[in-house]
Structure formats: structure tokens, C-alpha cells
Amino acid sequence: MTDLATRVAPPRLKGAAAKALLGYAAVRALGLLALALWSAARDKSAYTLLTARWDSVWYTRVAELGYGYEVRLPNGDIHSNLAFFPLLPWLERLLHATTPLSYAGAGFLVAVLASLAAAWGVFAVADLVYGPRAGLYAVLLWAVLPVGIVQSMAYSESLFTALAAWSLYAVLTGRWLTSGTLALLAGLTRPVGLAVVAAVWAAGIATFVRHRSAAPIDGARGQERAPSFAPGTPENGASVRRRALAMLLAPLGAAGYVLWVGHRTGEGPLGYLDVQAGWRNGFDGGWAFARFIAAKFTSFPSALAGVGLIAGVALVVWLYLVCVRQRQPLPLLVYAGVVTALALCASSYFGSKPRLLMPAFPLLLPLALALARLRTTRSVLMLGAVAVGSAVYGAFWLNGSGPP
């Protein structure tokens, strides 16, 4: 296997990377086609479902009117748009000001372009760790997720995943300033930007320890040794300063917005938590989610849903343990672990958990590696069947309860 230190050149959009993006675009086109047909049959607008419902409405309202809007519900809960991080609305406002696009249309364009950037970033990371064939399948697996239609919505998941994936790629290849800057931007996109910050910090600390102890930190490609997550260049003053600066930059986005919200609300550093509490969002270690699952076993029909939820959580945990067992590079393990923990252990609306898990793409790498070892025909047939199922489910989902 080639050490990452010899593979730090930015990936070019050709060969396997181009195939991965073409495959990704085909899956997303299938999903959009299914949505358009299903919506037309129900006299609904697919475009409206993608751009002007649920969270996308809150983002476009921030882009158009700024912060300060809130809704008081009959039960006393207060839904404030301060809960939504600013990078996506900023981009929507910029595109609206410089193009004929509406705010909603700008959000859709950002999502489409960001989803392609995210797919390329997923490929770049998987290719770096496991090779181009696994990179191709990692992208396709990310595309065919049951809630993959969200990648084409005016939501922030695609934008966040793109920033996270390329920040991880940068840290894996020793581009510290790039990684720190992208982590800063990820922190301005979603609260889970903390996962990218944690990955950058873990990599920085581990690199410092490694250079101090001269002990290599390696991963594994299946049964084989995989590359170190940091280039094997000699430590010097400039590299130390770049790493330190990256670690300083990484948390500034999330910390800056949270502190600004606290100042605006007059509640100090914990003001953002109060805003989230108005949405009944918080971190309770998974207690509310556990009670939600337990409540499903009060009757036979809902018990089946409870069994499905337990199986889904078990699958996610199992995939993470496989990632650990295969010794993925530390930044990937830290990032995926934090995203998974925040998604599963938050007290937010439980139907949103699959969407919140979507950025945790390193969890897909063991499956991508397994598909890469199969014959191409078999892998393509399996993914094709899943893609059709995902497209149908996405169309059904958006025309129903949708992504809260």
C-alpha cells in the first residue's frame, strides 16, 4: 500500500473520480424523477417539496429577512430562527443578489452543487484510505441512502458534508490550514460542525504525540496495513505553526455563532442552548430516544417499528465498531463517532435521526470495501436495486411526513 505521504496531491476529476460523480448524479437524477412522478400524481410540486417546506423555509427566511423571527406554539414552545446556522442563508442571499434566482432557488442550487462537492470529497477520502474502487462504491452508497433525497433539498446537509469531507481529506494529507478553514466553515453550517473540529484537534494532538514518540499511527485496509493519516515529513517550526493555527481556526465558526446568539438573546454563552430548548432539542445521552423506542412496544403493529428502530441503531453501532476494528485513520473515527453520538443521543425529533446521520459517511467505508471485493456485475446489481428502492422511498417520504 502507498503511504499517504506520497499521495498528497489533490485528486483530479478524472478516471475513477469522474465515474463516481457520474454514478452519483445518475442516482440523484433517478431520485428526482421518482419524486417528480409521485408528486405529479398527487397534484403536488416536487420543486416546492425540495425548496419551500420544513427547514428550507426557515433558511430562506433568514436569507431574506435576517435573524429575529420566531413562532410561539400553543404549548408555549418558541421556535426561533436563531437555531439555524448562517452559512447556507449567507450563500442563498449572495446568489439571490447576483443572479435571477429566488432565495429558495438559490438554496436548491447550493444544495445541488454542494452534493456534488460532497460526493467528490467522499470519494477523495475513501480513495486515499482504501483505493479508487472503494471510493467509487462509497460515493454510490452515500447516494442510495434511504434519505438520500435530502442531498438534493435546500437543506444544509450536503453543504456540511462537503466541507467536512474535504476538511478530513486535508487533515489526512497534512494540509493543516485548509483543514482548519474548512472546519471553521463547517462550524458555521450546522451544530454538528463540532465533529469536524474534534477530528482536526484529534489529528493535531496525535501528530504532536507521534512526532514526540516517533511511533507511527497507522490504519488498515481490510487485512492490510493502511497509510498513516499524516504525511511523514520531518517536523519543523513552520509545520508546528500551521498545525497550531489550524487547531485555532477550526472551532471559530461554531464558537463565534454560538457566542453571537448568546449576546443577541442576552443569555450569555448558553443562550444557544435555550434557543434549541425552544425546539425541544438537546443532548440527553439518548434517554428520550430510548423511551421513544420503548413506547413502540405497547401494541403489536408499532412493535414492528420498534424492532426496526433497534435494528437500525444496532447496524449503525456495528458499522462504527467495524470501522474501529479496521483501524480507520483517527480523524475519521473521531468525526464519525461524534456525528453518530450527537444524532443518536439528541432529544430532537426522532424522525430526523436518519437525516442527522447522513454526514457520517466514514460508516459506509466498510460496506464500500466489501462491495469493492465483489465482482462488478454483482455490486452494480445490488446498488441498482437499492437505488430504485431509495428513489421510491424518497418520493413517498417527501410527499408524506418529510424530513423534519
Side-chain angles (χ1 to χ4, degrees):
M1 292 296 174
T2 305
D3 193 277
L4 294 190
T6 65
R7 302 183 62 198
V8 296
R12 295 182 179 181
L13 189 53
K14 64 178 183 179
K19 291 179 182 178
L21 286 193
L22 286 174
Y24 176 80
V27 173
R28 289 274 44 83
L30 177 64
L32 293 174
L33 175 61
L35 176 64
L37 294 175
W38 194 298
S39 301
R42 295 174 59 87
D43 292 325
K44 291 185 177 181
S45 167
Y47 181 73
T48 298
L49 293 175
L50 292 168
T51 64
R53 291 195 65 187
W54 305 292
D55 286 5
S56 58
V57 175
W58 288 87
Y59 282 118
T60 54
R61 186 176 285 121
V62 172
E64 182 178 5
L65 303 175
Y67 285 105
Y69 177 82
E70 63 183 31
V71 175
R72 185 178 294 273
L73 303 184
N75 65 358
D77 289 345
I78 298 176
H79 288 184
S80 168
N81 65 0
L82 289 169
F84 296 87
F85 277 48
L87 185 57
L88 176 58
W90 286 348
L91 293 175
E92 290 177 340
R93 181 179 298 177
L94 175 63
L95 282 176
H96 174 73
T98 56
T99 70
L101 291 172
S102 65
Y103 290 106
F108 179 67
L109 179 60
V110 170
V112 170
L113 295 179
S115 69
L116 292 172
W120 190 9
V122 170
F123 173 84
V125 171
D127 173 35
L128 196 66
V129 179
Y130 292 123
R133 187 172 171 84
L136 169 64
Y137 287 118
V139 170
L140 295 178
L141 283 168
W142 192 66
V144 302
L145 289 173
V147 294
I149 190 65
V150 174
Q151 297 164 14
S152 301
M153 296 181 66
Y155 270 45
S156 60
E157 273 76 9
S158 289
L159 179 60
F160 173 78
T161 305
L163 293 168
W166 284 108
S167 178
L168 291 170
Y169 177 82
V171 81
L172 287 169
T173 54
R175 292 179 171 84
W176 291 103
L177 293 182
T178 299
S179 181
T181 302
L182 292 174
L184 184 156
L185 294 174
L188 285 171
T189 307
R190 296 186 62 80
V192 76
L194 293 174
V196 190
V197 176
V200 173
W201 273 71
I205 294 171
T207 301
F208 173 77
V209 172
R210 188 185 65 168
H211 281 290
R212 288 291 299 268
S213 64
I217 302 174
D218 291 330
R221 301 190 182 192
Q223 300 299 319
E224 302 174 285
R225 298 289 288 175
S228 164
F229 69 77
T233 55
E235 187 82 326
N236 55 54
S239 62
V240 171
R241 287 191 294 272
R242 285 194 297 270
R243 186 170 68 241
L245 183 56
M247 295 174 69
L248 177 64
L249 285 172
L252 292 184
Y257 181 68
V258 167
L259 291 175
W260 178 81
V261 170
H263 174 74
R264 183 181 176 97
T265 61
E267 300 296 332
L270 300 182
Y272 183 76
L273 297 181
D274 293 335
V275 170
Q276 286 284 22
W279 288 81
R280 294 188 179 267
N281 289 337
F283 188 88
D284 63 358
W287 175 242
F289 189 32
R291 288 190 288 112
F292 174 78
I293 295 175
K296 294 294 183 182
F297 290 92
T298 57
S299 64
F300 174 72
S302 64
L304 296 178
V307 171
L309 287 171
I310 292 174
V313 172
L315 175 61
V316 169
V317 174
W318 176 76
L319 284 173
Y320 186 75
L321 292 176
V322 174
C323 292
V324 174
R325 190 163 60 245
Q326 292 182 346
R327 299 180 64 195
Q328 282 186 13
L330 179 63
L332 300 187
L333 293 176
V334 171
Y335 168 76
V338 175
V339 172
T340 301
L342 290 177
L344 295 182
C345 297
S347 59
S348 57
Y349 182 72
F350 306 110
S352 66
K353 292 191 181 296
R355 172 174 67 87
L356 298 179
L357 282 167
M358 191 168 60
F361 68 90
L363 297 179
L364 300 174
L365 297 188
L367 299 178
L369 187 60
L371 286 173
R373 289 169 175 164
L374 297 177
R375 299 180 65 175
T376 301
T377 302
R378 186 175 180 183
S379 298
V380 170
L381 288 175
M382 292 172 62
L383 284 171
V386 176
V388 172
S390 174
V392 173
Y393 176 76
F396 165 77
W397 190 44
L398 287 201
N399 278 277
S401 62

Tab-separated table of all heavy atoms in Angstrom, residues 210-240:
chain	number	residue	atom	x	y	z
A	210	ARG	N	2.882	11.714	18.065
A	210	ARG	CA	3.634	10.799	17.212
A	210	ARG	C	5.036	11.305	16.954
A	210	ARG	O	6.005	10.556	16.997
A	210	ARG	CB	2.911	10.583	15.871
A	210	ARG	CG	3.559	9.492	15.027
A	210	ARG	CD	2.913	9.373	13.673
A	210	ARG	NE	3.118	10.565	12.864
A	210	ARG	CZ	2.847	10.625	11.572
A	210	ARG	NH1	2.331	9.576	10.961
A	210	ARG	NH2	3.065	11.729	10.891
A	211	HIS	N	5.133	12.594	16.674
A	211	HIS	CA	6.466	13.139	16.424
A	211	HIS	C	7.308	13.145	17.694
A	211	HIS	O	8.533	13.005	17.631
A	211	HIS	CB	6.359	14.556	15.853
A	211	HIS	CG	6.031	14.582	14.396
A	211	HIS	ND1	6.918	14.176	13.424
A	211	HIS	CD2	4.905	14.962	13.735
A	211	HIS	CE1	6.364	14.312	12.228
A	211	HIS	NE2	5.147	14.784	12.391
A	212	ARG	N	6.652	13.286	18.827
A	212	ARG	CA	7.401	13.244	20.078
A	212	ARG	C	7.881	11.834	20.407
A	212	ARG	O	8.970	11.634	20.933
A	212	ARG	CB	6.530	13.761	21.232
A	212	ARG	CG	6.287	15.259	21.191
A	212	ARG	CD	7.562	16.049	21.489
A	212	ARG	NE	8.078	15.744	22.811
A	212	ARG	CZ	7.768	16.426	23.905
A	212	ARG	NH1	6.921	17.441	23.825
A	212	ARG	NH2	8.300	16.102	25.064
A	213	SER	N	7.058	10.852	20.083
A	213	SER	CA	7.401	9.466	20.433
A	213	SER	C	8.002	8.696	19.279
A	213	SER	O	8.484	7.583	19.463
A	213	SER	CB	6.149	8.735	20.919
A	213	SER	OG	5.195	8.651	19.877
A	214	ALA	N	7.914	9.284	18.036
A	214	ALA	CA	8.408	8.627	16.814
A	214	ALA	C	7.685	7.312	16.558
A	214	ALA	O	8.203	6.424	15.904
A	214	ALA	CB	9.915	8.376	16.895
A	215	ALA	N	6.438	7.202	17.067
A	215	ALA	CA	5.659	5.984	16.842
A	215	ALA	C	4.643	6.246	15.750
A	215	ALA	O	3.861	7.198	15.853
A	215	ALA	CB	4.939	5.584	18.125
A	216	PRO	N	4.610	5.436	14.686
A	216	PRO	CA	3.654	5.651	13.600
A	216	PRO	C	2.232	5.346	14.033
A	216	PRO	O	1.997	4.518	14.904
A	216	PRO	CB	4.113	4.672	12.525
A	216	PRO	CG	4.801	3.586	13.282
A	216	PRO	CD	5.464	4.257	14.452
A	217	ILE	N	1.290	6.076	13.460
A	217	ILE	CA	-0.116	5.842	13.723
A	217	ILE	C	-0.733	5.399	12.415
A	217	ILE	O	-0.938	6.207	11.511
A	217	ILE	CB	-0.804	7.123	14.232
A	217	ILE	CG1	-0.109	7.616	15.487
A	217	ILE	CG2	-2.277	6.887	14.477
A	217	ILE	CD1	-0.632	8.956	15.968
A	218	ASP	N	-0.993	4.137	12.283
A	218	ASP	CA	-1.448	3.586	11.022
A	218	ASP	C	-2.872	3.064	11.121
A	218	ASP	O	-3.370	2.749	12.185
A	218	ASP	CB	-0.538	2.441	10.561
A	218	ASP	CG	0.831	2.947	10.170
A	218	ASP	OD1	0.916	4.094	9.711
A	218	ASP	OD2	1.788	2.204	10.347
A	219	GLY	N	-3.505	2.988	9.956
A	219	GLY	CA	-4.807	2.358	9.846
A	219	GLY	C	-4.645	1.015	9.188
A	219	GLY	O	-3.562	0.454	9.156
A	220	ALA	N	-5.725	0.527	8.613
A	220	ALA	CA	-5.655	-0.761	7.930
A	220	ALA	C	-6.653	-0.805	6.801
A	220	ALA	O	-7.755	-0.311	6.911
A	220	ALA	CB	-5.920	-1.901	8.904
A	221	ARG	N	-6.246	-1.368	5.713
A	221	ARG	CA	-7.151	-1.601	4.606
A	221	ARG	C	-7.551	-3.065	4.661
A	221	ARG	O	-6.864	-3.935	4.151
A	221	ARG	CB	-6.496	-1.306	3.271
A	221	ARG	CG	-6.012	0.141	3.165
A	221	ARG	CD	-5.591	0.428	1.751
A	221	ARG	NE	-5.075	1.775	1.625
A	221	ARG	CZ	-4.847	2.356	0.473
A	221	ARG	NH1	-5.084	1.734	-0.643
A	221	ARG	NH2	-4.364	3.578	0.422
A	222	GLY	N	-8.658	-3.342	5.329
A	222	GLY	CA	-9.054	-4.727	5.488
A	222	GLY	C	-8.021	-5.455	6.317
A	222	GLY	O	-7.769	-5.133	7.467
A	223	GLN	N	-7.358	-6.431	5.716
A	223	GLN	CA	-6.347	-7.208	6.411
A	223	GLN	C	-4.949	-6.630	6.212
A	223	GLN	O	-3.974	-7.161	6.701
A	223	GLN	CB	-6.373	-8.665	5.879
A	223	GLN	CG	-7.713	-9.348	6.092
A	223	GLN	CD	-8.066	-9.453	7.542
A	223	GLN	OE1	-7.200	-9.751	8.379
A	223	GLN	NE2	-9.330	-9.218	7.882
A	224	GLU	N	-4.875	-5.534	5.437
A	224	GLU	CA	-3.563	-4.991	5.113
A	224	GLU	C	-3.314	-3.707	5.885
A	224	GLU	O	-4.232	-3.050	6.351
A	224	GLU	CB	-3.484	-4.712	3.609
A	224	GLU	CG	-3.732	-5.968	2.775
A	224	GLU	CD	-3.789	-5.600	1.308
A	224	GLU	OE1	-4.795	-5.035	0.868
A	224	GLU	OE2	-2.798	-5.864	0.632
A	225	ARG	N	-2.046	-3.313	6.003
A	225	ARG	CA	-1.699	-2.064	6.652
A	225	ARG	C	-2.110	-0.907	5.761
A	225	ARG	O	-1.875	-0.913	4.565
A	225	ARG	CB	-0.185	-2.003	6.914
A	225	ARG	CG	0.316	-3.093	7.843
A	225	ARG	CD	-0.132	-2.872	9.270
A	225	ARG	NE	0.577	-1.757	9.885
A	225	ARG	CZ	0.282	-1.314	11.093
A	225	ARG	NH1	-0.683	-1.865	11.779
A	225	ARG	NH2	0.960	-0.320	11.595
A	226	ALA	N	-2.731	0.084	6.353
A	226	ALA	CA	-3.136	1.266	5.603
A	226	ALA	C	-2.238	2.426	5.995
A	226	ALA	O	-1.488	2.349	6.958
A	226	ALA	CB	-4.591	1.605	5.899
A	227	PRO	N	-2.327	3.530	5.251
A	227	PRO	CA	-1.411	4.636	5.467
A	227	PRO	C	-1.660	5.409	6.738
A	227	PRO	O	-2.749	5.413	7.288
A	227	PRO	CB	-1.674	5.528	4.248
A	227	PRO	CG	-3.056	5.194	3.841
A	227	PRO	CD	-3.270	3.766	4.163
A	228	SER	N	-0.603	6.071	7.187
A	228	SER	CA	-0.736	6.997	8.309
A	228	SER	C	-1.624	8.147	7.884
A	228	SER	O	-1.704	8.495	6.720
A	228	SER	CB	0.644	7.520	8.687
A	228	SER	OG	0.548	8.663	9.486
A	229	PHE	N	-2.319	8.782	8.855
A	229	PHE	CA	-3.206	9.874	8.475
A	229	PHE	C	-2.464	11.174	8.294
A	229	PHE	O	-3.050	12.166	7.903
A	229	PHE	CB	-4.333	10.039	9.499
A	229	PHE	CG	-3.906	10.554	10.835
A	229	PHE	CD1	-3.626	11.888	11.011
A	229	PHE	CD2	-3.792	9.698	11.919
A	229	PHE	CE1	-3.260	12.369	12.241
A	229	PHE	CE2	-3.426	10.177	13.147
A	229	PHE	CZ	-3.157	11.516	13.315
A	230	ALA	N	-1.185	11.236	8.592
A	230	ALA	CA	-0.434	12.477	8.424
A	230	ALA	C	0.829	12.198	7.630
A	230	ALA	O	1.417	11.134	7.744
A	230	ALA	CB	-0.081	13.083	9.774
A	231	PRO	N	1.222	13.117	6.763
A	231	PRO	CA	2.423	12.904	5.967
A	231	PRO	C	3.651	12.675	6.823
A	231	PRO	O	3.754	13.176	7.943
A	231	PRO	CB	2.550	14.209	5.165
A	231	PRO	CG	1.184	14.810	5.181
A	231	PRO	CD	0.586	14.404	6.480
A	232	GLY	N	4.553	11.946	6.270
A	232	GLY	CA	5.758	11.608	7.013
A	232	GLY	C	6.880	12.606	6.826
A	232	GLY	O	8.041	12.221	6.761
A	233	THR	N	6.546	13.885	6.695
A	233	THR	CA	7.574	14.909	6.566
A	233	THR	C	8.146	15.236	7.931
A	233	THR	O	7.457	15.161	8.951
A	233	THR	CB	6.973	16.178	5.949
A	233	THR	OG1	5.850	16.575	6.732
A	233	THR	CG2	6.539	15.921	4.527
A	234	PRO	N	9.409	15.619	7.989
A	234	PRO	CA	10.021	15.949	9.278
A	234	PRO	C	9.302	17.121	9.929
A	234	PRO	O	8.849	18.047	9.272
A	234	PRO	CB	11.463	16.315	8.890
A	234	PRO	CG	11.677	15.701	7.557
A	234	PRO	CD	10.358	15.722	6.866
A	235	GLU	N	9.211	17.057	11.242
A	235	GLU	CA	8.593	18.142	11.993
A	235	GLU	C	9.527	19.346	12.004
A	235	GLU	O	10.727	19.214	12.210
A	235	GLU	CB	8.323	17.669	13.430
A	235	GLU	CG	7.539	18.648	14.261
A	235	GLU	CD	6.042	18.558	14.012
A	235	GLU	OE1	5.678	18.281	12.851
A	235	GLU	OE2	5.265	18.765	14.947
A	236	ASN	N	8.970	20.533	11.765
A	236	ASN	CA	9.757	21.750	11.848
A	236	ASN	C	8.873	22.866	12.389
A	236	ASN	O	7.667	22.690	12.593
A	236	ASN	CB	10.344	22.129	10.482
A	236	ASN	CG	9.280	22.246	9.403
A	236	ASN	OD1	8.302	22.975	9.576
A	236	ASN	ND2	9.456	21.524	8.306
A	237	GLY	N	9.481	24.014	12.603
A	237	GLY	CA	8.746	25.112	13.197
A	237	GLY	C	7.552	25.550	12.378
A	237	GLY	O	6.484	25.829	12.924
A	238	ALA	N	7.713	25.589	11.042
A	238	ALA	CA	6.619	26.028	10.179
A	238	ALA	C	5.440	25.067	10.253
A	238	ALA	O	4.274	25.487	10.326
A	238	ALA	CB	7.112	26.160	8.741
A	239	SER	N	5.713	23.773	10.234
A	239	SER	CA	4.622	22.798	10.286
A	239	SER	C	3.918	22.840	11.636
A	239	SER	O	2.697	22.683	11.719
A	239	SER	CB	5.145	21.391	9.997
A	239	SER	OG	6.098	20.992	10.972
A	240	VAL	N	4.677	23.046	12.689
A	240	VAL	CA	4.057	23.170	14.019
A	240	VAL	C	3.147	24.382	14.064
A	240	VAL	O	2.028	24.324	14.596
A	240	VAL	CB	5.140	23.263	15.109
A	240	VAL	CG1	4.506	23.609	16.453
A	240	VAL	CG2	5.917	21.959	15.210
